[in-house]
Amino acid sequence: MVTAADFESKTEIKWCPGCGNFGILAAMKDALAKLGLSPEKVLVISGIGQAAKTPEFMQCNMFHALHGRALPLATAAKIANHNLKILVNTGDGDCYGEGGNHFMHAVRRNIDLTVLAHNNMVYGLTKGQASPTSERGTITRVHQHGVIMEPFNPLAVALSLKAGFVARGFSGRMEHLSSIIQQALQYNGFSLIDVLQPCVSFNHVNTHRWYSERVYELEKENYSPADYMQAMVKAQEWGNRIPIGIVYKQDKPSFTDQVFALKDGPLVDRTYSPEPLRELLKEL
Amino acid sequence: MSRRVGMEASFAIAEAVKLAEAEVVAAYPITPQTHIVERLSEMVADGEIDAEFICVESEHSAMSACVGSSAVGARTFTATAGQGLELMHEVLFVASSSRLPIVMAVANRALSGPLNVWGDQSDVMAARDCGWIQYFAENAQESFDLTLCAFKIAEDPQVLFPVMLNIDGFFVSHVVEPLYLLEKEELEGFIPPYQYPFPLDPRRPVTMGAFAPPVLCTETRKALEVALQGTRETILRVWKEFGDRFGRSYKPIETYRTEDADTILVGIGCYTETASVAIDTMRARGEKVVMVHLRLWRPFPFPEIRAALQGAQKVLVFDRCIILGGPGGPLCSEIKSALYGEEKKPKIFNFIGGLGGRDITPRQFEDMIARGREILDSKVTVEYETIGVRE
């Protein structure tokens, strides 16, 4: 039997005390254990940032990639071995900024993997500059008069590109987040979980308390994640009430389902056998 | 009058950019460069400098934005480090071949992998052939002075090339040192008002970034190389003018204790300051060792290097970067190529160390010099040795 402890790493965790990442890490391990996925079946991939340190703190297959580049790497890993369960741990800067282009095309490709975007609305690793999800007016060392750009809305962007699994979690509700991660891992296709996460060092507005007072679970609201237009409306809801849970879910064929060459199993398990081709060429 | 202050090199660079009245700063945060642009951002917000600060979504976008702003004729500055410089890579060539006088500070950092945010020179060395003027500052004072000079050099009508100022990540970028800041009035006239001769302007349309088929490409690349080599005179003139006006002169290579040497240690970047402590100790013992450090990296100072190393028996070159699959360190490789055609050649050996932020003490430099002499007195069987490596 797989337990969360199987994913424990001996590496010292280098996040600030109270960081939302701890909740996400715990939820992820819990979800993997509940699905009975043992560490050798799991691949955790990240880019650069505080979120991207996550695989370093886990015991399983991992690749800590370059800034913004987790998704192309994860896409190819999935295509080469679609038996792997792939979790991408990324942040708002990594996924929606530097890797924004890759994010859009990973959604379009509908590759079967789960993206956990640790969204703290700030660049934590480089000490508090505004990120793509920072709200207008956010003041940082670089944005002295406040951010003047509209924040990136990950749920609405993913929905606009017809993502089949779009969800939001909160690092302060571990069990709820674990449940979303489990459903995302079981979903066949691209699944986005944007995880609201306080940054105790650099975001003094969107704190644990701030989120706790606002988030509500969609599952308790008689909400159906099958309605696309309703999902678009939910994706825009922000302020006094912030929905968490599965915003949209619809089954459709994933990328690897549609590639004929992958029907006989993962590429990594194939042997090189040019003989049939030689026979075919003789016929010509 | 110039003021003596305590300040980290990152802030000193920001002060120089302010004095140079840069009009656009486009940057993306990356360690260990972040303090430079954060300070500039504060200056923009406080109205200390009349500039636009563009926060972009990646370093590729930062350099692309710099190309755009420089092309319309704005005085443009950016700063980056390590992976950021490599992400800019393809745009660096566009900036130089478009002859856009952008000034960039690079807080030199190791390259992935392994992931490492500390200092070495892998980043600049991987970008050494991008057609930029490139030089190194070894402390906060040099960072300040040479940033001012960078704008004057880059924008000179005889030059019109981008300039990259390199400082070692953390060891220079984050260290608070005493330095003299110049006042606005003192600087009067040193950096003339910026007038790019061919800005993108609807009143005088120009074409930039045009396609060059095989019939033209060789000529344009050759012209670019000739022009870059031709910047030497202006670089020397600007550094001399700076020295004449403000009392601190800079040269393409700097020599330390050059009298009657039999062994010369060659380096680039701030570790040469540490090495000079070792040189002092060894000379006090009567050993004939000398330090030569390069300030100018591109265009490479061939004549100065040949002149400085001509009389030596032994030359030891210290690199903070490995050319993977190549001859060892990039600096040593250039030094060897500079001396290959000379009739009288010293024996040369290469040491590599200080990678990914590992410190090298004066005592280690002493050991390195002793070891290098020993190797050159016997048969040299390897291209280089790595200092302090655990194998």
Side-chain angles (χ1 to χ4, degrees), chain A residues 101-120:
Chain A
N101 192 22
H102 303 312
F103 173 69
M104 287 196 300
H105 296 289
V107 175
R108 287 183 54 233
R109 203 171 274 118
N110 196 28
I111 192 88
D112 179 21
L113 50 82
T114 297
V115 172
L116 275 167
H118 305 212
N119 182 358
N120 56 9

Side-chain angles (χ1 to χ4, degrees), chain B residues 235-306:
Chain B
I235 297 168
L236 300 189
R237 179 174 50 75
V238 169
W239 284 349
K240 183 171 182 312
E241 186 185 331
F242 188 90
D244 291 346
R245 280 191 59 174
F246 308 114
R248 291 182 296 275
S249 314
Y250 296 100
K251 295 194 292 267
I253 67 166
E254 308 282 350
T255 51
Y256 184 68
R257 312 279 304 247
T258 49
E259 62 276 22
D260 64 341
D262 62 31
T263 304
I264 298 181
L265 177 66
V266 185
I268 190 164
C270 80
Y271 278 40
T272 53
E273 291 201 340
T274 315
S276 62
V277 177
I279 300 283
D280 279 343
T281 312
M282 295 178 84
R283 288 195 77 94
R285 290 200 300 258
E287 297 184 49
K288 294 177 176 175
V289 292
V290 161
M291 179 85 223
V292 166
H293 43 126
L294 281 83
R295 179 172 314 291
L296 185 60
W297 175 235
R298 286 293 186 268
F300 191 79
F302 284 105
E304 289 85 355
I305 280 290
R306 285 177 187 136

Side-chain angles (χ1 to χ4, degrees), chain B residues 153-233:
Chain B
I153 292 167
E155 295 169 7
D156 188 291
Q158 296 299 311
V159 175
L160 294 176
F161 270 96
V163 176
M164 187 189 299
L165 170 84
N166 292 279
I167 58 170
D168 280 291
F170 291 110
F171 288 128
V172 176
S173 65
H174 283 55
V175 173
V176 176
E177 294 179 48
L179 78 149
Y180 291 96
L181 288 182
L182 294 168
E183 300 292 341
K184 187 97 197 128
E185 312 78 63
E186 287 177 280
L187 201 65
E188 189 59 43
F190 181 69
I191 303 174
Y194 181 37
Q195 277 199 311
Y196 187 62
F198 319 105
L200 293 171
D201 181 345
R203 290 164 300 186
R204 268 196 324 160
V206 291
T207 298
M208 285 196 185
F211 184 78
V215 71
L216 283 175
C217 200
T218 308
E219 287 70 23
T220 48
R221 295 307 283 181
K222 172 73 181 179
L224 191 65
E225 162 62 3
V226 169
L228 182 57
Q229 294 287 359
T231 61
R232 289 176 47 86
E233 282 173 26

Side-chain angles (χ1 to χ4, degrees), chain A residues 131-146:
Chain A
S131 84
T133 54
S134 298
E135 296 201 56
R136 283 178 72 97
T138 302
I139 290 170
T140 74
R141 289 286 298 274
V142 172
H143 300 79
Q144 301 273 324
H145 292 312

